[in-house]
DNA sequence: GTTACCAGTATCACCGAGTATACCAATATG
DNA sequence: CATATTGGTATACTCGGTGATACTGGTAAC
């Protein structure tokens, strides 16, 4: 069974749909919002400091970054570490738990690029 | 190169960050929203007619269904077919392209289930 | 001719996510 | 001293996704 066949099978099996849709909506709930995945992506790119993350995500405001970081920390998707030296240094890192998102992020990046190409190609055609 | 290595390589390449954020946000935009997945679910369950889909999704309004169907058609996630007979018959079906979303959906289902387990485990612990 | 179904549109309104902008306390540099 | 950076908060605002409700134009059965 190929991945595609498996996908097709799951998508067309009525008996599992409720559970599948529930799991999907759980995942969507966790990642929804405009900035959570870009933030995870930025952290995975090696950014740890608040301003570094902010600069690495075009268009985000300090307010939204602050809010999202707080919420994601509460959801155990990332860890906030303060080194008590002066000047105070704050570092954000993704948790192991968050790393399990890696596969999804890659698939979504892949799909997003393909999609952009596809839609653009057909508009110009 | 393993999947993990590939992931690490992609996630740690700073040059592609803007493009990746864009791709991510595109994908998020396409699947987020309250009704898109339930609609795909309904279509996969065999519903094709507007009123059938509407009835199969508790709480959706004709307005939202209409809007979402239009948008998803524009994103080529589904196809709208009109048989010109009287009375006019309109049928919606998911496209092959929508099936290409399968990989992401599978990853998200997998993660959602894991997440549910994790949360449950921690609350009972 | 009244009621009901189909495939939608049209208006009005709410509300929360997201934006813009300014500000704060601390540290550092010159 | 002035200015800049870090790690954020506070306040006010906008905007679009969503909801509620009503309506249209056609077909059809009773």
């Amino acid at each position: 069974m190929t991945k595609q066949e498996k996908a097709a099978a799951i998508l067309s099996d009525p008996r599992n749909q409720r559970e599948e849709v529930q799991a999907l909506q759980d995942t969507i709930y966790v990642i929804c919002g405009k900035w959570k995945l870009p933030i995870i992506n930025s952290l995975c790119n090696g950014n740890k400091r608040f301003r570094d993350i902010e600069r690495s995500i075009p268009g985000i405001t300090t307010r939204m970054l602050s809010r999202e970081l707080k919420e994601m920390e509460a959801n155990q998707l990332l860890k906030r570490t303060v080194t008590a030296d002066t000047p105070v240094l704050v570092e954000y890192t993704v948790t192991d738990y968050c790393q399990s998102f890696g596969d999804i992020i890659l698939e979504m990046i892949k799909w997003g690029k393909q999609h952009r190409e596809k839609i653009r190609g057909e508009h110009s055609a």
Side-chain angles (χ1 to χ4, degrees), chain A:
Chain A
M1 212 179 199
T2 69
K3 216 169 178 182
Q4 271 70 24
E5 285 168 344
K6 201 176 164 193
I10 286 179
L11 288 176
S12 63
D13 180 357
R15 292 177 310 165
N16 289 335
Q17 295 243 342
R18 274 190 90 127
E19 191 190 348
E20 309 290 357
V21 167
Q22 173 88 65
L24 266 173
Q25 286 178 337
D26 285 351
T27 305
I28 286 175
Y29 178 78
V30 169
I31 66 175
C32 226
K34 194 173 175 179
W35 303 112
K36 288 192 182 77
L37 283 176
I39 288 170
I40 292 176
N41 197 37
S42 174
L43 289 171
C44 289
N45 264 342
N47 297 304
K48 295 171 185 294
R49 315 278 298 276
F50 189 91
R51 296 295 177 193
D52 289 341
I53 300 164
E54 189 178 7
R55 276 188 293 265
S56 76
I57 302 173
I60 199 169
T61 59
T62 57
R63 182 181 186 275
M64 287 311 294
L65 179 57
S66 175
R67 264 181 52 156
E68 298 288 47
L69 286 174
K70 226 173 277 174
E71 190 178 323
M72 291 165 75
E73 192 195 355
N75 284 328
Q76 306 183 42
L77 294 177
L78 53 84
K79 202 174 62 178
R80 184 176 183 273
T81 314
V82 182
T83 53
D85 301 311
T86 62
V88 174
L89 189 72
V90 181
E91 286 194 341
Y92 293 93
T93 46
V94 294
T95 58
D96 290 346
Y97 182 46
C98 183
Q99 295 277 2
S100 68
F101 247 102
D103 287 346
I104 294 176
I105 292 183
L106 288 179
E107 292 290 351
M108 290 178 76
I109 289 174
K110 204 174 78 184
W111 193 89
K113 284 180 180 172
Q114 279 173 5
H115 186 62
R116 184 163 282 265
E117 282 307 305
K118 184 181 175 70
I119 297 299
R120 207 185 51 181
E122 265 151 33
H123 275 287
S124 63

